[in-house]
Amino acid sequence: MKDIISILHIEDEVYDAELIKQTLAKGGINCTIHHVETLEEFEKVLSDNETDLILSDYKLPSLNGIDILNFARSNYPEIPFIFVSGTIGEEAAIESLLKGATDYVLKDKLSRLVPAVNRTLRELEERLNREKAEKALQEVEKEKTVILDSVTELVVYHDLDLTIKWANKAALNEIKKSKPGTVNKGCYLQLFQKVDCIDNCPVKDSIKSGKTEQAEISSPDGRTWIVTAQPTRDSDNKLIGVVETALEITERKKADEQLRKLSRAVEQSPVSIVITDTDGLIEYANPKSSAATGYKPEEVIGQNPRIFKSGELTKSYYKKMWETLKSGKEWIGEFHNRKKNG
């Protein structure tokens, strides 16, 4: 709560205004009070000053308390409003509360004023703190959404019934391409057009095991995904859902298959093949190379190919070869190498 609160008081009776001021002071309400008698003055104070609380008489010579309340609620709905009046019937009191007044106090019962003000300010502080916390949470949610929407992987949150409760932009785009619809449906329906969960679903397995599960899954359009499911728990360690991430590996699978084909071709080649790094150290030697040189692969890995030198070629020959290879060009020539047994 603020150290000094600012109160706007609209009251046509100067004596009543002073009595209310003294009541607040005696009750320990540390405040500054702007006393006004007309709607014009009322509007100007609200416009020019920061007001924490409005006190208003219900009946004024040229004003109706409900009109003042309606103006305040329409233009400054966040400011608490308390009627302090000598005459206010039960129906009028109920009407004022229904229209947004925070409370009402009768002038012949001013002992209720300080408790009413304290309660109103306490509720205001609680509301402001709640709104602040909600705003902070909204900012966190906004930041989370921005971050998760920036990743290319599909990120989906499921409840324990396998219903999608949240999905990032990449996941929503996949859902729209596969089967348009809202988030609150199972992924097996959205992505796989199935009425029940697929057999190797890591989300289902994660809910069952309570652990992280992973599987390679093919979608109906032929693409391949690595799907990881991570269980989420509340503060009591109770399982409440699963976060699923999916990374498409279709092209990687194709590249891996091509690499395996190339590897088999090199392994089965009738030609001796030795691969070195840019420093000329051997990284690989195929079986034919081992058969031709007598060296096992583990004996030549990390060695310089000079271990095969027979001594029949000049240094300039090798120098020219390495200069050509290091420049990124193709070198063609012949070697007469020495076998391990000489």
Side-chain angles (χ1 to χ4, degrees):
M1 188 180 298
K2 295 168 63 175
D3 293 333
I4 302 177
I5 65 169
S6 177
I7 297 177
L8 173 55
H9 185 196
I10 182 165
E11 169 64 65
D12 64 311
E13 294 288 345
V14 176
Y15 173 80
D16 288 348
E18 184 61 29
L19 183 59
I20 289 171
K21 180 179 180 180
Q22 292 177 9
T23 300
L24 292 172
K26 289 180 180 178
I29 304 296
N30 194 8
C31 62
T32 58
I33 300 177
H34 297 277
H35 174 222
V36 299
E37 297 183 17
T38 68
L39 183 59
E40 290 74 16
E41 292 175 324
F42 182 77
E43 293 177 6
K44 182 170 176 36
V45 172
L46 283 173
S47 175
D48 296 345
N49 299 273
E50 183 179 343
T51 301
D52 300 307
L53 175 64
I54 297 172
L55 301 179
S56 174
D57 196 357
Y58 189 79
K59 287 187 177 181
L60 298 158
S62 59
L63 287 173
N64 179 290
I66 293 298
D67 291 336
I68 300 171
L69 174 62
N70 287 338
F71 174 83
R73 291 284 71 86
S74 296
N75 296 279
Y76 303 92
E78 72 284 358
I79 302 177
F81 190 109
I82 298 177
F83 276 118
V84 184
S85 182
T87 55
I88 181 169
E90 183 178 354
E91 289 186 7
I94 293 174
E95 180 187 12
S96 69
L97 295 175
L98 291 175
K99 288 184 176 292
T102 310
D103 205 343
Y104 68 92
V105 175
L106 298 177
K107 288 181 179 179
D108 60 357
K109 294 183 179 179
L110 284 182
S111 59
R112 286 194 61 249
L113 180 59
V114 171
V117 169
N118 280 328
R119 182 176 61 254
T120 297
L121 294 176
R122 184 171 61 252
E123 291 173 353
L124 173 63
E125 184 177 28
E126 290 172 354
R127 176 171 61 81
L128 293 176
N129 288 338
R130 185 168 59 251
E131 290 175 353
K132 184 178 179 180
E134 289 172 352
K135 184 177 180 181
L137 181 60
Q138 289 172 358
E139 289 298 318
V140 171
E141 288 295 314
K142 182 179 178 182
E143 185 178 83
K144 180 196 74 173
T145 299
V146 169
I147 293 172
L148 292 177
D149 280 349
S150 68
V151 301
T152 56
E153 289 91 345
L154 279 57
V155 183
V156 177
Y157 177 70
H158 303 261
D159 64 15
L160 299 181
D161 293 325
L162 299 176
T163 300
I164 298 175
K165 306 304 293 184
W166 187 91
N168 72 339
K169 186 176 180 180
L172 288 174
N173 288 339
E174 282 299 324
I175 290 172
K176 289 176 183 177
K177 284 192 297 184
S178 176
K179 185 178 180 63
T182 58
V183 169
N184 294 311
K185 294 182 180 179
C187 67
Y188 50 85
L189 174 63
Q190 292 281 43
L191 296 174
F192 297 98
Q193 295 91 57
K194 293 181 179 294
V195 294
D196 202 359
C197 194
I198 60 176
D199 292 337
N200 61 332
C201 175
V203 176
K204 179 181 66 176
D205 293 342
S206 181
I207 292 173
K208 184 178 180 180
S209 69
K211 300 177 181 178
T212 300
E213 302 287 350
Q214 190 176 80
E216 184 176 301
I217 295 177
S218 296
S219 53
D221 58 8
R223 289 179 296 166
T224 305
W225 305 79
I226 287 291
V227 179
T228 304
Q230 174 70 48
T232 57
R233 300 178 182 277
D234 62 14
S235 57
D236 296 323
N237 202 37
K238 181 181 178 182
L239 186 66
I240 58 174
V242 172
V243 175
E244 173 189 13
T245 58
L247 174 66
E248 186 187 352
I249 59 168
T250 308
E251 294 304 317
R252 192 176 82 187
K253 289 273 290 184
K254 291 179 181 179
D256 288 346
E257 181 57 29
Q258 289 296 107
L259 187 60
R260 281 193 292 271
K261 290 179 180 178
L262 176 60
S263 178
R264 287 195 297 269
V266 171
E267 286 283 318
Q268 299 170 12
S269 174
V271 178
S272 178
I273 297 176
V274 175
I275 300 174
T276 72
D277 60 19
T278 55
D279 294 322
L281 300 180
I282 297 173
E283 294 183 325
Y284 172 81
N286 74 339
K288 184 62 178 179
S289 172
S290 296
T293 64
Y295 287 96
K296 296 178 180 179
E298 59 269 23
E299 293 178 296
V300 298
I301 301 298
Q303 300 292 327
N304 190 286
R306 69 170 61 95
I307 64 173
F308 302 135
K309 285 176 62 175
S310 64
E312 296 181 4
L313 299 175
T314 64
K315 289 184 178 181
S316 61
Y317 186 87
Y318 290 108
K319 181 180 179 182
K320 184 178 180 181
M321 177 194 72
W322 284 114
E323 287 176 348
T324 301
L325 292 174
K326 287 185 176 182
S327 68
K329 298 178 182 179
E330 181 183 6
W331 179 85
I332 299 176
E334 293 184 1
F335 287 122
H336 183 199
N337 287 333
R338 179 174 61 86
K339 298 183 69 172
K340 181 180 179 180
N341 60 11

